[in-house]
Amino acid sequence: MNIIDVIDKKRNKETLTREELEFAFNGYLNKEVQDYQMSSLLMAITINGMTDQEVFDLVDIYIKSGEVLDLSSIPGVKVDKHSTGGVGDKTTLVVVPIVASLGLIVPKMSGRGLGLTGGTIDKLESIPGFRVEATKEQILKELNDIGMIICSQTESLVPLDKIVYSLRDVSGTVESIPLIAASVMSKKIASGADKILIDIKCGNGALMKDEKSARELRDLLIRIGNNYNKEVRCLISDMNTPLGVCVGNALEVAEAAELLDGKVKNNLYDLCVDIASNMVSMGKDISIIDAREQVLDAINSKKALEKFNQFVEYQGGSLEDMRISDNKLEVKSPKSGVITGINALKVSVVSNALGSGKAYIDDNIDYSVGVFLNKQIGERVKEGDTLCTIYYNKEENDYGILDAYTIEEK
Ligand code: URA
């Protein structure tokens, strides 16, 4: 077999066999296929798509490139979640403790920031002392002890996705539905959960820019789940506006804790309740209405907050020592009117420029910077009111954040 023939075949819109996919992808893992050859194949896939059978084969090849976590020694139903990535998306930090506080087991392996979207692991690293790495034995022990874990993926979990993802990130092939589906589902299946909730973000701050592609991805994720006898539910959620009021690592951790303390009621709260209710409904095999009642009780009784604190402490973190920059710049409204838009993509560009994400692989993240949105969509503002507060370290600069706002004089 020859890699050029495999690339040609996909470029000519033909279907690849399992053997051809194995040859190309395992060859890439073993360094027999070069970066430029794999990026060419990925681009052909991005342009011409894949059949379901090709995607199923790719998921299987991905999974078999590493180890599958065996959770059978832990009693109880295991429920997992995944988000395709958004701006201000700290739902994992909220939802996992809620679901675990209701007696389900949540083994959550998360990633770092990618492109303009933040990653849960980076957010957790803003808590001094917090350990994001865990061995297989430590994962099982923590699940046994407290029913949840949020850690970074173990080295042995789907190593093929790790290298293919890095290449996609720099070759214009991130936004391919079959490649996203294979990447997400291989990791979820290898992480060993019985039931999986996927939050598909849709909008200018997300990989899926429109509803049609989001629905296409949803249907494919569910078909892959069925192929592995796993129950998969998907939500499609808005990512035109940042989730919640904080964007930036430590700020987002603080917002998650405040939500669990009952102090936040906004788009983030609504989405967290939806995600958690679906996970509980699947995990306990109960209606979404009953599940929602349990979720609200877990928040209102502070059971979920206790679980969050227990989890942070278990992984060595100290919330009291977490730092948000003392340097603040308040950005004022240039006119009076009603806020009708806060562009998620633009806010994330500002947050990254402040240092909360990486522009280059070797950059250091500044956990203490970010943006706090003082005013929300739908709010009436007067000229001179504070729209948002920028927490900075490097230099006092608003990085043009006013461009993110649409204010209509109604
Ligand atoms: N999240 C993933 O894990 N993989 C993708 O390809 C996109 C989002």
Side-chain angles (χ1 to χ4, degrees), residues 167-182:
L167 188 62
R168 286 171 58 209
D169 199 24
V170 292
S171 62
T173 54
V174 169
E175 288 168 17
S176 150
I177 289 177
L179 293 177
I180 294 174

Side-chain angles (χ1 to χ4, degrees), residues 215-228:
R215 281 198 295 269
E216 206 180 302
L217 176 60
R218 174 196 64 195
D219 296 347
L220 182 54
L221 294 169
I222 292 172
R223 291 200 297 278
I224 298 171
N226 290 342
N227 194 45
Y228 280 88

Side-chain angles (χ1 to χ4, degrees), residues 155-373:
E155 282 299 316
S156 56
L157 194 102
V158 198
L160 192 46
D161 178 62
K162 218 169 269 172
I163 57 167
V164 174
Y165 204 112
S166 309
L167 188 62
R168 286 171 58 209
D169 199 24
V170 292
S171 62
T173 54
V174 169
E175 288 168 17
S176 150
I177 289 177
L179 293 177
I180 294 174
S183 161
V184 169
M185 290 307 289
S186 57
K187 284 178 291 199
K188 292 294 105 178
I189 291 161
S191 313
D194 309 303
K195 323 250 176 179
I196 302 159
L197 184 288
I198 303 194
D199 177 22
I200 301 173
K201 301 270 174 240
C202 179
N204 61 45
L207 288 179
M208 298 293 104
K209 304 287 181 217
D210 57 75
E211 277 275 334
K212 184 170 167 287
S213 347
R215 281 198 295 269
E216 206 180 302
L217 176 60
R218 174 196 64 195
D219 296 347
L220 182 54
L221 294 169
I222 292 172
R223 291 200 297 278
I224 298 171
N226 290 342
N227 194 45
Y228 280 88
N229 278 328
K230 302 267 184 193
E231 190 181 352
V232 175
R233 281 194 205 170
C234 296
L235 297 177
I236 296 179
S237 64
D238 177 71
M239 191 27 74
N240 289 301
T241 308
L243 258 180
V245 294
C246 294
V247 180
N249 297 292
L251 281 165
E252 292 192 40
V253 173
E255 186 178 17
E258 288 209 341
L259 193 155
L260 290 170
D261 202 11
K263 293 183 184 139
V264 174
K265 296 271 155 61
N266 54 22
N267 60 350
L268 173 68
Y269 176 88
D270 294 339
L271 180 62
C272 288
V273 169
D274 271 0
I275 295 175
S277 302
N278 273 286
M279 290 171 76
V280 171
S281 158
M282 278 195 287
K284 297 194 174 186
D285 204 9
I286 57 176
S287 74
I288 192 85
I289 295 170
D290 291 346
R292 194 181 159 86
E293 211 168 287
Q294 294 193 16
V295 165
L296 294 180
D297 179 62
I299 299 173
N300 296 334
S301 65
K302 308 263 195 277
K303 232 166 40 181
L305 179 64
E306 272 165 40
K307 183 57 76 180
F308 175 80
N309 289 330
Q310 184 185 31
F311 140 77
V312 171
E313 197 178 318
Y314 195 103
Q315 292 185 227
S318 165
L319 283 166
E320 299 82 64
D321 295 330
M322 193 173 70
R323 192 182 151 262
I324 291 165
S325 177
D326 295 327
N327 304 315
K328 287 192 245 178
L329 170 65
E330 292 188 345
V331 180
K332 308 290 181 189
S333 179
K335 61 180 180 183
S336 301
V338 175
I339 302 176
T340 54
I342 305 176
N343 186 296
L345 182 61
K346 290 185 178 159
V347 175
S348 78
V349 170
V350 173
S351 177
N352 275 13
L354 289 163
S356 69
K358 291 187 183 191
Y360 298 99
I361 210 133
D362 298 332
D363 283 354
N364 285 325
I365 290 181
D366 187 342
Y367 298 106
S368 69
V369 298
V371 180
F372 176 79
L373 304 173

Side-chain angles (χ1 to χ4, degrees), residues 80-81 113 283 304 323 374:
D80 198 355
K81 69 141 315 239
R323 192 182 151 262
N374 298 71

